[in-house]
Amino acid sequence: MSPGRRWWAWPRELRRRGVLGLNGRNGEYVLPHNRRGHYPRVDDKALTKRICESKGIPVPKTYALVERYGDLARLPEMLDSQRQFVVKPARGSEGRGIVVVADHDGNTFSTAGGRTLTLADLRYHLSTVLSGLYSLGGQPDRAIVEQRIVRHPAFETVAVGGTPDIRIILYRTVPVMAMLRLPTAASRGRANLHQGAVAAGVDLRTGRTFGGVCQGRAVSEHPDTGASIDGLMVPCWDRLLAAAMDLAEAVELGYVGVDFVLDSTVGPVVLEANARPGLGIQVANRRGLVPRLEFLDRQPEAMFRGELRHELIARLAEL
């Protein structure tokens, strides 16, 4: 490192650059705009899926909902016709507790990350989900067994061992920032920044990627494949934006993150929504959220209805 050069910034410098911090996110956007009574609509993934289905928003098909320890005895019967599936806690966060099974014979289960589980191992994992090991606040939980999404071929060279996802943050039902998260060997095939995935910012107007971050550092290439993460075109971008806005309206949260995956045949499907989306999206986009949020607060209420929101999206992308 050259003399006098810093690899960090003071909080006041970040504020000057429009970077939103945790206190600002919670105090100025989450608490004033997200009614506490509406949190279960996104904190419970099973409920989120029901809301999506009622609005015609695509979600992975649910194969089973494991609610009681007694259900574990019927596990072979539940999974008999599904060679691939995903197990996830209904109230989990940060990707914890998710198991992706790529194949099984009823007794041995091979995960997408290369692990081998026995039927007893899988039952034990489900029991830990039910106990609340991965849930928000450690409360008793349910386990969702759902369709495994087949990765879209557009991401073949920039994803390792798993399926990428797209996060869109919305404020007052308008998309304000987006990123593409790409699994790595370090993240064990999961598109989770906390576990080592790489992310690239996405231009709101075009759906094209730019910038990038991995393990808290700016990057422009995938750490495993060396492929550029700049200039990728996210397929079905207009459909993604429309579905995100529909879901934000349905859950009635003013500040919310929506996560999508792209299936090779179905296209965009909603994985989950989050009332407290993380702030790493700013590093991936190499710009702060504050100017965009403040811009929306200056707009007349009429601009937040229908197609007028697309005009706001185009103007936000320039900030």
Side-chain angles (χ1 to χ4, degrees), residues 182-219:
L182 303 162
T184 64
S187 71
R188 295 185 179 181
R190 296 175 181 172
N192 187 290
L193 295 187
H194 297 282
Q195 297 173 345
V198 62
V202 180
D203 185 286
L204 290 174
R205 291 166 299 187
T206 65
R208 194 173 294 277
T209 62
F210 64 94
V213 62
C214 185
Q215 302 283 24
R217 293 184 178 274
V219 297

mmCIF file of all heavy atoms in Angstrom, residues 182-219:
data_model
loop_
_atom_site.group_PDB
_atom_site.id
_atom_site.type_symbol
_atom_site.label_atom_id
_atom_site.label_comp_id
_atom_site.label_asym_id
_atom_site.label_seq_id
_atom_site.Cartn_x
_atom_site.Cartn_y
_atom_site.Cartn_z
ATOM 1 N N LEU A 182 -23.899 -13.861 -7.147
ATOM 2 C CA LEU A 182 -23.396 -15.041 -7.837
ATOM 3 C C LEU A 182 -22.694 -15.981 -6.860
ATOM 4 O O LEU A 182 -21.780 -15.569 -6.148
ATOM 5 C CB LEU A 182 -22.408 -14.608 -8.924
ATOM 6 C CG LEU A 182 -22.972 -13.623 -9.957
ATOM 7 C CD1 LEU A 182 -21.857 -12.929 -10.708
ATOM 8 C CD2 LEU A 182 -23.903 -14.356 -10.914
ATOM 9 N N PRO A 183 -23.101 -17.250 -6.812
ATOM 10 C CA PRO A 183 -22.455 -18.197 -5.893
ATOM 11 C C PRO A 183 -21.012 -18.482 -6.273
ATOM 12 O O PRO A 183 -20.627 -18.392 -7.445
ATOM 13 C CB PRO A 183 -23.317 -19.455 -6.007
ATOM 14 C CG PRO A 183 -24.007 -19.335 -7.318
ATOM 15 C CD PRO A 183 -24.192 -17.872 -7.580
ATOM 16 N N THR A 184 -20.214 -18.825 -5.276
ATOM 17 C CA THR A 184 -18.797 -19.133 -5.452
ATOM 18 C C THR A 184 -18.465 -20.436 -4.727
ATOM 19 O O THR A 184 -19.293 -20.986 -3.988
ATOM 20 C CB THR A 184 -17.919 -18.009 -4.863
ATOM 21 O OG1 THR A 184 -18.132 -17.957 -3.442
ATOM 22 C CG2 THR A 184 -18.249 -16.656 -5.473
ATOM 23 N N ALA A 185 -17.243 -20.889 -4.907
ATOM 24 C CA ALA A 185 -16.792 -22.062 -4.152
ATOM 25 C C ALA A 185 -16.802 -21.759 -2.665
ATOM 26 O O ALA A 185 -17.178 -22.602 -1.840
ATOM 27 C CB ALA A 185 -15.392 -22.464 -4.613
ATOM 28 N N ALA A 186 -16.406 -20.531 -2.287
ATOM 29 C CA ALA A 186 -16.376 -20.151 -0.870
ATOM 30 C C ALA A 186 -17.770 -20.134 -0.262
ATOM 31 O O ALA A 186 -17.952 -20.474 0.911
ATOM 32 C CB ALA A 186 -15.714 -18.781 -0.715
ATOM 33 N N SER A 187 -18.773 -19.751 -1.045
ATOM 34 C CA SER A 187 -20.142 -19.679 -0.518
ATOM 35 C C SER A 187 -20.860 -21.025 -0.615
ATOM 36 O O SER A 187 -22.039 -21.118 -0.283
ATOM 37 C CB SER A 187 -20.951 -18.616 -1.260
ATOM 38 O OG SER A 187 -21.246 -19.016 -2.588
ATOM 39 N N ARG A 188 -20.154 -22.056 -1.122
ATOM 40 C CA ARG A 188 -20.708 -23.405 -1.268
ATOM 41 C C ARG A 188 -21.979 -23.410 -2.110
ATOM 42 O O ARG A 188 -22.960 -24.083 -1.791
ATOM 43 C CB ARG A 188 -20.979 -24.032 0.106
ATOM 44 C CG ARG A 188 -19.709 -24.263 0.923
ATOM 45 C CD ARG A 188 -19.993 -24.989 2.206
ATOM 46 N NE ARG A 188 -18.773 -25.225 2.953
ATOM 47 C CZ ARG A 188 -18.734 -25.872 4.122
ATOM 48 N NH1 ARG A 188 -19.843 -26.341 4.657
ATOM 49 N NH2 ARG A 188 -17.581 -26.049 4.752
ATOM 50 N N GLY A 189 -21.927 -22.631 -3.174
ATOM 51 C CA GLY A 189 -23.045 -22.624 -4.112
ATOM 52 C C GLY A 189 -24.211 -21.756 -3.713
ATOM 53 O O GLY A 189 -25.244 -21.771 -4.394
ATOM 54 N N ARG A 190 -24.070 -20.984 -2.648
ATOM 55 C CA ARG A 190 -25.172 -20.123 -2.202
ATOM 56 C C ARG A 190 -24.923 -18.680 -2.626
ATOM 57 O O ARG A 190 -23.805 -18.185 -2.523
ATOM 58 C CB ARG A 190 -25.331 -20.200 -0.685
ATOM 59 C CG ARG A 190 -25.720 -21.597 -0.210
ATOM 60 C CD ARG A 190 -25.751 -21.684 1.289
ATOM 61 N NE ARG A 190 -26.096 -23.029 1.729
ATOM 62 C CZ ARG A 190 -26.055 -23.439 2.988
ATOM 63 N NH1 ARG A 190 -25.663 -22.603 3.940
ATOM 64 N NH2 ARG A 190 -26.388 -24.667 3.307
ATOM 65 N N ALA A 191 -25.976 -18.017 -3.056
ATOM 66 C CA ALA A 191 -25.858 -16.631 -3.509
ATOM 67 C C ALA A 191 -26.043 -15.704 -2.313
ATOM 68 O O ALA A 191 -26.977 -14.904 -2.265
ATOM 69 C CB ALA A 191 -26.889 -16.347 -4.601
ATOM 70 N N ASN A 192 -25.143 -15.812 -1.350
ATOM 71 C CA ASN A 192 -25.265 -15.048 -0.108
ATOM 72 C C ASN A 192 -23.947 -14.326 0.151
ATOM 73 O O ASN A 192 -22.896 -14.963 0.283
ATOM 74 C CB ASN A 192 -25.610 -15.997 1.044
ATOM 75 C CG ASN A 192 -25.921 -15.254 2.325
ATOM 76 O OD1 ASN A 192 -25.028 -14.673 2.933
ATOM 77 N ND2 ASN A 192 -27.182 -15.257 2.727
ATOM 78 N N LEU A 193 -23.985 -12.991 0.250
ATOM 79 C CA LEU A 193 -22.770 -12.209 0.418
ATOM 80 C C LEU A 193 -22.069 -12.530 1.729
ATOM 81 O O LEU A 193 -20.840 -12.518 1.808
ATOM 82 C CB LEU A 193 -23.087 -10.718 0.352
ATOM 83 C CG LEU A 193 -23.616 -10.179 -0.982
ATOM 84 C CD1 LEU A 193 -23.722 -8.667 -0.941
ATOM 85 C CD2 LEU A 193 -22.738 -10.603 -2.135
ATOM 86 N N HIS A 194 -22.827 -12.825 2.780
ATOM 87 C CA HIS A 194 -22.235 -13.138 4.080
ATOM 88 C C HIS A 194 -21.416 -14.419 4.033
ATOM 89 O O HIS A 194 -20.519 -14.624 4.859
ATOM 90 C CB HIS A 194 -23.318 -13.262 5.153
ATOM 91 C CG HIS A 194 -24.090 -12.003 5.391
ATOM 92 N ND1 HIS A 194 -23.592 -10.957 6.125
ATOM 93 C CD2 HIS A 194 -25.315 -11.610 4.962
ATOM 94 C CE1 HIS A 194 -24.476 -9.979 6.161
ATOM 95 N NE2 HIS A 194 -25.528 -10.359 5.462
ATOM 96 N N GLN A 195 -21.726 -15.292 3.080
ATOM 97 C CA GLN A 195 -21.052 -16.586 2.995
ATOM 98 C C GLN A 195 -20.011 -16.637 1.878
ATOM 99 O O GLN A 195 -19.470 -17.698 1.595
ATOM 100 C CB GLN A 195 -22.104 -17.688 2.812
ATOM 101 C CG GLN A 195 -23.041 -17.789 4.008
ATOM 102 C CD GLN A 195 -24.182 -18.764 3.770
ATOM 103 O OE1 GLN A 195 -24.447 -19.172 2.649
ATOM 104 N NE2 GLN A 195 -24.866 -19.138 4.826
ATOM 105 N N GLY A 196 -19.743 -15.490 1.234
ATOM 106 C CA GLY A 196 -18.672 -15.449 0.248
ATOM 107 C C GLY A 196 -19.083 -15.344 -1.202
ATOM 108 O O GLY A 196 -18.240 -15.479 -2.101
ATOM 109 N N ALA A 197 -20.381 -15.099 -1.478
ATOM 110 C CA ALA A 197 -20.807 -14.902 -2.867
ATOM 111 C C ALA A 197 -20.284 -13.572 -3.390
ATOM 112 O O ALA A 197 -19.873 -12.696 -2.626
ATOM 113 C CB ALA A 197 -22.328 -14.950 -2.966
ATOM 114 N N VAL A 198 -20.291 -13.426 -4.711
ATOM 115 C CA VAL A 198 -19.878 -12.180 -5.343
ATOM 116 C C VAL A 198 -21.129 -11.497 -5.902
ATOM 117 O O VAL A 198 -22.087 -12.175 -6.285
ATOM 118 C CB VAL A 198 -18.841 -12.439 -6.463
ATOM 119 C CG1 VAL A 198 -19.423 -13.291 -7.576
ATOM 120 C CG2 VAL A 198 -18.299 -11.147 -7.038
ATOM 121 N N ALA A 199 -21.144 -10.163 -5.892
ATOM 122 C CA ALA A 199 -22.316 -9.447 -6.387
ATOM 123 C C ALA A 199 -21.905 -8.341 -7.336
ATOM 124 O O ALA A 199 -20.825 -7.757 -7.213
ATOM 125 C CB ALA A 199 -23.109 -8.848 -5.219
ATOM 126 N N ALA A 200 -22.779 -8.053 -8.298
ATOM 127 C CA ALA A 200 -22.581 -6.951 -9.237
ATOM 128 C C ALA A 200 -23.808 -6.067 -9.221
ATOM 129 O O ALA A 200 -24.944 -6.563 -9.120
ATOM 130 C CB ALA A 200 -22.339 -7.486 -10.647
ATOM 131 N N GLY A 201 -23.595 -4.745 -9.303
ATOM 132 C CA GLY A 201 -24.716 -3.834 -9.416
ATOM 133 C C GLY A 201 -25.434 -4.034 -10.740
ATOM 134 O O GLY A 201 -24.857 -4.511 -11.716
ATOM 135 N N VAL A 202 -26.718 -3.674 -10.773
ATOM 136 C CA VAL A 202 -27.524 -3.808 -11.990
ATOM 137 C C VAL A 202 -28.155 -2.460 -12.320
ATOM 138 O O VAL A 202 -28.784 -1.833 -11.460
ATOM 139 C CB VAL A 202 -28.633 -4.870 -11.834
ATOM 140 C CG1 VAL A 202 -29.457 -4.991 -13.117
ATOM 141 C CG2 VAL A 202 -28.042 -6.221 -11.461
ATOM 142 N N ASP A 203 -27.975 -2.008 -13.548
ATOM 143 C CA ASP A 203 -28.582 -0.765 -14.006
ATOM 144 C C ASP A 203 -30.096 -0.931 -14.053
ATOM 145 O O ASP A 203 -30.611 -1.854 -14.695
ATOM 146 C CB ASP A 203 -28.049 -0.410 -15.391
ATOM 147 C CG ASP A 203 -28.537 0.940 -15.876
ATOM 148 O OD1 ASP A 203 -29.733 1.045 -16.250
ATOM 149 O OD2 ASP A 203 -27.747 1.903 -15.876
ATOM 150 N N LEU A 204 -30.821 -0.044 -13.381
ATOM 151 C CA LEU A 204 -32.269 -0.179 -13.280
ATOM 152 C C LEU A 204 -32.969 -0.052 -14.619
ATOM 153 O O LEU A 204 -34.035 -0.631 -14.829
ATOM 154 C CB LEU A 204 -32.827 0.868 -12.309
ATOM 155 C CG LEU A 204 -32.517 0.680 -10.828
ATOM 156 C CD1 LEU A 204 -33.014 1.882 -10.029
ATOM 157 C CD2 LEU A 204 -33.143 -0.600 -10.291
ATOM 158 N N ARG A 205 -32.413 0.720 -15.533
ATOM 159 C CA ARG A 205 -33.066 0.916 -16.824
ATOM 160 C C ARG A 205 -32.895 -0.271 -17.748
ATOM 161 O O ARG A 205 -33.824 -0.669 -18.449
ATOM 162 C CB ARG A 205 -32.492 2.161 -17.515
ATOM 163 C CG ARG A 205 -32.835 3.474 -16.857
ATOM 164 C CD ARG A 205 -31.965 4.581 -17.410
ATOM 165 N NE ARG A 205 -30.537 4.316 -17.137
ATOM 166 C CZ ARG A 205 -29.560 5.171 -17.394
ATOM 167 N NH1 ARG A 205 -29.842 6.337 -17.937
ATOM 168 N NH2 ARG A 205 -28.303 4.873 -17.109
ATOM 169 N N THR A 206 -31.711 -0.858 -17.763
ATOM 170 C CA THR A 206 -31.380 -1.854 -18.782
ATOM 171 C C THR A 206 -31.279 -3.280 -18.271
ATOM 172 O O THR A 206 -31.366 -4.225 -19.059
ATOM 173 C CB THR A 206 -30.035 -1.493 -19.438
ATOM 174 O OG1 THR A 206 -28.985 -1.595 -18.445
ATOM 175 C CG2 THR A 206 -30.067 -0.077 -20.003
ATOM 176 N N GLY A 207 -31.041 -3.466 -16.968
ATOM 177 C CA GLY A 207 -30.808 -4.803 -16.440
ATOM 178 C C GLY A 207 -29.407 -5.308 -16.702
ATOM 179 O O GLY A 207 -29.135 -6.501 -16.567
ATOM 180 N N ARG A 208 -28.485 -4.393 -17.033
ATOM 181 C CA ARG A 208 -27.106 -4.774 -17.315
ATOM 182 C C ARG A 208 -26.233 -4.543 -16.079
ATOM 183 O O ARG A 208 -26.399 -3.546 -15.383
ATOM 184 C CB ARG A 208 -26.560 -3.975 -18.501
ATOM 185 C CG ARG A 208 -25.253 -4.541 -19.066
ATOM 186 C CD ARG A 208 -24.860 -3.798 -20.338
ATOM 187 N NE ARG A 208 -25.819 -4.027 -21.403
ATOM 188 C CZ ARG A 208 -25.820 -5.096 -22.202
ATOM 189 N NH1 ARG A 208 -24.896 -6.038 -22.028
ATOM 190 N NH2 ARG A 208 -26.716 -5.230 -23.153
ATOM 191 N N THR A 209 -25.297 -5.464 -15.812
ATOM 192 C CA THR A 209 -24.483 -5.382 -14.606
ATOM 193 C C THR A 209 -23.290 -4.447 -14.773
ATOM 194 O O THR A 209 -22.822 -4.191 -15.885
ATOM 195 C CB THR A 209 -23.945 -6.763 -14.202
ATOM 196 O OG1 THR A 209 -23.107 -7.261 -15.252
ATOM 197 C CG2 THR A 209 -25.075 -7.737 -13.939
ATOM 198 N N PHE A 210 -22.811 -3.976 -13.616
ATOM 199 C CA PHE A 210 -21.592 -3.167 -13.565
ATOM 200 C C PHE A 210 -21.062 -3.249 -12.139
ATOM 201 O O PHE A 210 -21.753 -3.683 -11.225
ATOM 202 C CB PHE A 210 -21.878 -1.696 -13.938
ATOM 203 C CG PHE A 210 -22.806 -1.015 -12.966
ATOM 204 C CD1 PHE A 210 -22.304 -0.285 -11.901
ATOM 205 C CD2 PHE A 210 -24.182 -1.128 -13.106
ATOM 206 C CE1 PHE A 210 -23.158 0.331 -10.989
ATOM 207 C CE2 PHE A 210 -25.045 -0.520 -12.196
ATOM 208 C CZ PHE A 210 -24.523 0.213 -11.133
ATOM 209 N N GLY A 211 -19.817 -2.803 -11.934
ATOM 210 C CA GLY A 211 -19.252 -2.811 -10.583
ATOM 211 C C GLY A 211 -19.167 -4.213 -10.022
ATOM 212 O O GLY A 211 -19.216 -5.209 -10.739
ATOM 213 N N GLY A 212 -19.033 -4.337 -8.711
ATOM 214 C CA GLY A 212 -19.012 -5.645 -8.078
ATOM 215 C C GLY A 212 -18.344 -5.628 -6.720
ATOM 216 O O GLY A 212 -17.597 -4.704 -6.391
ATOM 217 N N VAL A 213 -18.650 -6.647 -5.908
ATOM 218 C CA VAL A 213 -18.077 -6.762 -4.570
ATOM 219 C C VAL A 213 -17.999 -8.237 -4.188
ATOM 220 O O VAL A 213 -18.849 -9.042 -4.583
ATOM 221 C CB VAL A 213 -18.930 -5.981 -3.538
ATOM 222 C CG1 VAL A 213 -20.342 -6.551 -3.451
ATOM 223 C CG2 VAL A 213 -18.287 -6.004 -2.161
ATOM 224 N N CYS A 214 -16.944 -8.602 -3.443
ATOM 225 C CA CYS A 214 -16.810 -9.947 -2.888
ATOM 226 C C CYS A 214 -16.016 -9.847 -1.602
ATOM 227 O O CYS A 214 -14.938 -9.239 -1.581
ATOM 228 C CB CYS A 214 -16.125 -10.884 -3.875
ATOM 229 S SG CYS A 214 -16.041 -12.599 -3.310
ATOM 230 N N GLN A 215 -16.552 -10.419 -0.528
ATOM 231 C CA GLN A 215 -15.895 -10.383 0.776
ATOM 232 C C GLN A 215 -15.556 -8.941 1.183
ATOM 233 O O GLN A 215 -14.495 -8.680 1.750
ATOM 234 C CB GLN A 215 -14.615 -11.238 0.754
ATOM 235 C CG GLN A 215 -14.838 -12.690 0.383
ATOM 236 C CD GLN A 215 -15.426 -13.525 1.506
ATOM 237 O OE1 GLN A 215 -16.081 -13.003 2.411
ATOM 238 N NE2 GLN A 215 -15.214 -14.822 1.474
ATOM 239 N N GLY A 216 -16.454 -8.011 0.866
ATOM 240 C CA GLY A 216 -16.276 -6.626 1.263
ATOM 241 C C GLY A 216 -15.333 -5.818 0.403
ATOM 242 O O GLY A 216 -15.106 -4.633 0.684
ATOM 243 N N ARG A 217 -14.787 -6.411 -0.666
ATOM 244 C CA ARG A 217 -13.853 -5.694 -1.543
ATOM 245 C C ARG A 217 -14.425 -5.568 -2.954
ATOM 246 O O ARG A 217 -15.090 -6.480 -3.452
ATOM 247 C CB ARG A 217 -12.503 -6.429 -1.609
ATOM 248 C CG ARG A 217 -11.746 -6.427 -0.285
ATOM 249 C CD ARG A 217 -10.379 -7.077 -0.449
ATOM 250 N NE ARG A 217 -9.622 -7.037 0.785
ATOM 251 C CZ ARG A 217 -8.871 -6.026 1.184
ATOM 252 N NH1 ARG A 217 -8.794 -4.944 0.414
ATOM 253 N NH2 ARG A 217 -8.206 -6.060 2.325
ATOM 254 N N ALA A 218 -14.127 -4.436 -3.596
ATOM 255 C CA ALA A 218 -14.588 -4.220 -4.959
ATOM 256 C C ALA A 218 -13.879 -5.176 -5.911
ATOM 257 O O ALA A 218 -12.667 -5.365 -5.835
ATOM 258 C CB ALA A 218 -14.335 -2.777 -5.378
ATOM 259 N N VAL A 219 -14.634 -5.831 -6.797
ATOM 260 C CA VAL A 219 -14.083 -6.751 -7.784
ATOM 261 C C VAL A 219 -14.789 -6.520 -9.117
ATOM 262 O O VAL A 219 -15.873 -5.940 -9.165
ATOM 263 C CB VAL A 219 -14.259 -8.231 -7.367
ATOM 264 C CG1 VAL A 219 -13.501 -8.539 -6.087
ATOM 265 C CG2 VAL A 219 -15.732 -8.579 -7.206
#
